[in-house]
Amino acid sequence: MENSSSKVPAPSINDFIESMTRYHPYVLAINEGNYQAAAELEIARSNFDPFIEQKTKSRVSGYYDGTNLTQRFTNPVEDYNANVFTEYRIAGGDFPAYEGDYDTLSAGEASIGVAMSLLQNREIDKRRTELRNAGLATAQWEAQATSMINSFIYKGVNEYISWYESALQIKAVQNLLETAQEREKALSTRVEKGDLADIVLVEFQANLMQQRLLLAELTQKRDSHAQMLSFYWRSPQGDMLSFNADTPPNNIEWPFWVGDAQLIALRKALKQHPELDVLQLEQRVVQNKTALANNALLPKLDLQASIARDVGAGSETLEGTETKLGLSFSYPLGNRKAKAERSQLLSKQRELGHKFTSIQQSITQRFEQAYVFWTQAKDIAELQSQNASLARRLSQVERTRFDAGDSDMFVLNARVQNEIKAQIKEIKAKVDLLKAELMLYKEAAMLYDMR
């Protein structure tokens, strides 16, 4: 932690969140996950990279001394599981009759061709499934990262406003305590002059001690929250930062205010909640795997066609253009593995469908619960504000009556204690309203969106 920054003023909420999302190692680690997911997508794309092959075959001893060199360039194509290829072959020496297909004219043979699937692997194959699922995995990780960062921001901001609550309460108690200490001096003077019984001063000082104890407890709570905030607030180098915990900012720049327009936007955001996105993307992954399992149940029928021409001198039988067409067919009997895999994946689809419904209902229920809490928090904040105002007026009136000799210290102390409690509750109610607004944004996953 950077101790040199201990006197730095407390950040606003916006600066605090920016620090968390840009510099905190937890968020940086999540961002690395995005890079890894993007790399997986690039790896899947590499299955369709063109490639070059070269083969050489020579007879190094024996009656025949034929040598054959073959170079082939292959460019995979996604459609039809196809490969487009070009090939160049050149041979020299003598070949036995059963290896005559290695022979070429003196300048070699050039050919071009295509290979594709007509049944199994025509619509989908392992490479295309991996590519599609890698793209879905990237989007899935972005949704998961959004959910994780939202939860992280919620914890940090909740800690911030808990510190803010304690700091405001301390400020309120300190103001009352300063006033009370001035009154203590006046009472001491009256006791010394004999105008007031000593027990009245003792009773007032006992009440004053209660206020000091309350201040100490609030200070302990404030400093604890401030210490925890240093875990979330980071420098551009990623170091933990501390700040002047004694003075809350005049304006925390609260970004999560809730009104009618915000409520409409938040409810709309529930339909694009990252938890739902993760499940929907998982459903698409399983659908792709199911399609691949269905593909495995098809017969395998592959076509390869090419055109070749030899150039140069040599046997007349190698002159002219050759057109080659080949078909290969296979089908495993039984195919129990593919059938079992398809059955398993269909069950997985149903499972994810049930989970989606459950999570969708859970998200809606959590938001509506947060909405009820928010509406109640608004009412309580208003009532506590009125209560604090009345308590201040009663305390002021009671002080005036006491100074005029129309009241006693017991009643005055009770009024002062009620004033302190009312102010503390007023501050708590206002901060509880902030927490209720924060919860609405959190349940809608609208604290941060990286999708």
Side-chain angles (χ1 to χ4, degrees), residues 1 6-7 159-160 162-170 174 214-231 241-248:
M1 183 185 300
S6 59
K7 297 301 180 181
E159 195 69 42
Y160 181 102
S162 293
W163 160 79
Y164 182 62
E165 176 186 349
S166 300
L168 290 179
Q169 288 174 340
I170 288 172
Q174 283 176 334
L214 175 61
L215 184 64
E217 291 172 357
L218 290 173
T219 301
Q220 182 185 46
K221 184 178 177 182
R222 180 202 64 190
D223 292 345
S224 176
H225 287 301
Q227 181 66 26
M228 190 60 193
L229 278 182
S230 66
F231 171 74
L241 295 175
S242 59
F243 59 92
N244 186 354
D246 299 343
T247 308

Side-chain angles (χ1 to χ4, degrees), residues 232-282:
Y232 294 99
W233 193 30
R234 299 290 174 137
S235 72
Q237 292 74 37
D239 298 320
M240 292 190 294
L241 295 175
S242 59
F243 59 92
N244 186 354
D246 299 343
T247 308
N250 294 326
N251 182 8
I252 62 173
E253 300 179 14
W254 184 246
F256 304 119
W257 181 79
V258 176
D260 292 338
Q262 286 77 14
L263 278 174
I264 293 173
L266 290 170
R267 289 187 188 279
K268 185 178 179 181
L270 295 179
K271 298 178 181 179
Q272 289 86 39
H273 198 282
E275 290 183 30
L276 296 179
D277 283 350
V278 169
L279 266 182
Q280 286 177 321
L281 292 165
E282 181 63 23

Side-chain angles (χ1 to χ4, degrees), residues 116-120 299-304 325-331:
M116 66 178 67
S117 297
L118 301 179
L119 289 176
Q120 188 182 116
K300 190 172 184 180
L301 180 63
D302 295 336
L303 168 71
Q304 178 168 312
L325 184 64
L327 286 172
S328 62
F329 176 84
S330 66
Y331 183 68

Side-chain angles (χ1 to χ4, degrees), residues 167-177 420 423-424 427:
L168 290 179
Q169 288 174 340
I170 288 172
K171 192 174 181 181
V173 174
Q174 283 176 334
N175 290 336
L176 292 172
L177 193 58
I420 292 174
Q423 288 202 32
I424 287 177
I427 292 169

Side-chain angles (χ1 to χ4, degrees), residues 369-393:
Q369 185 176 7
Y371 172 74
V372 170
F373 183 80
W374 172 70
T375 56
Q376 293 172 343
K378 285 199 303 179
D379 294 338
I380 292 172
E382 178 62 28
L383 291 172
Q384 289 291 5
S385 180
Q386 295 174 14
N387 180 55
S389 178
L390 289 173
R392 281 192 292 270
R393 289 173 58 188

